[in-house]
Amino acid sequence: MGAAHSIVPGNTESDGEGPAAWWNERYDSDDMPWDTGAPQSALVDAVAEYGLSGRVLDIGCGTGTHALWAAEQGHPAVGLDISERGIERARDRATDHDLDVRFRVGNALDLDADVGEFGTVLDSGLFHAFEAEGHAAYAEQVADILRAGGRLFIVGFGPDAPTDFGPVPMSPGDVRQAFADGWHELTCREATFETRAMEVPGLLGVVERE
């Protein structure tokens, strides 16, 4: 996920006004600079370092790149996104690759109770789509579905990223503040966020649920 927009919490409708409609328009128009079709190298490297475990959630999955990648690594995977159009594309990709991945429409700031528990959550460009006030709500939602000892991997625009692209550049302080209670930081470091147009100065965070 992660595009030129800051997601507003609350609206999960796929039609009408609100963030879901905005994202649907992007997927319908193919205006998706964040969607390279390949997993973010920073996430792949971090997973090589810290490992995937258990059931994997690709949160803000868009067209499902990271859920599909996790399934290729042998893990049961779920992709969740606010955009119905994005989820439709993700399901088509899973069929094309003959991968058994579950995709569902949902709001990361208001997760359905039946989403289940996960051992790993992958976030490529979702955390940086929220304004600062959304970070705590996001952390609470992820804490509810990530088992003790489970890990959240986040990659997005870092402090040196352009401020006029849409996403909100995130700092190590943003990550540490959001995940201060009930989490253990494994790393928070500079990384590259890859887009169709260019490589953007990014930030990688890995935190573990206590």
Side-chain angles (χ1 to χ4, degrees), residues 16-43:
E17 300 300 324
W22 190 95
W23 288 108
N24 284 337
E25 290 177 4
R26 301 286 74 71
Y27 287 108
D28 282 342
S29 68
D30 202 39
D31 180 15
M32 307 180 297
W34 65 90
D35 190 347
T36 67
Q40 291 283 334
S41 297
L43 277 185

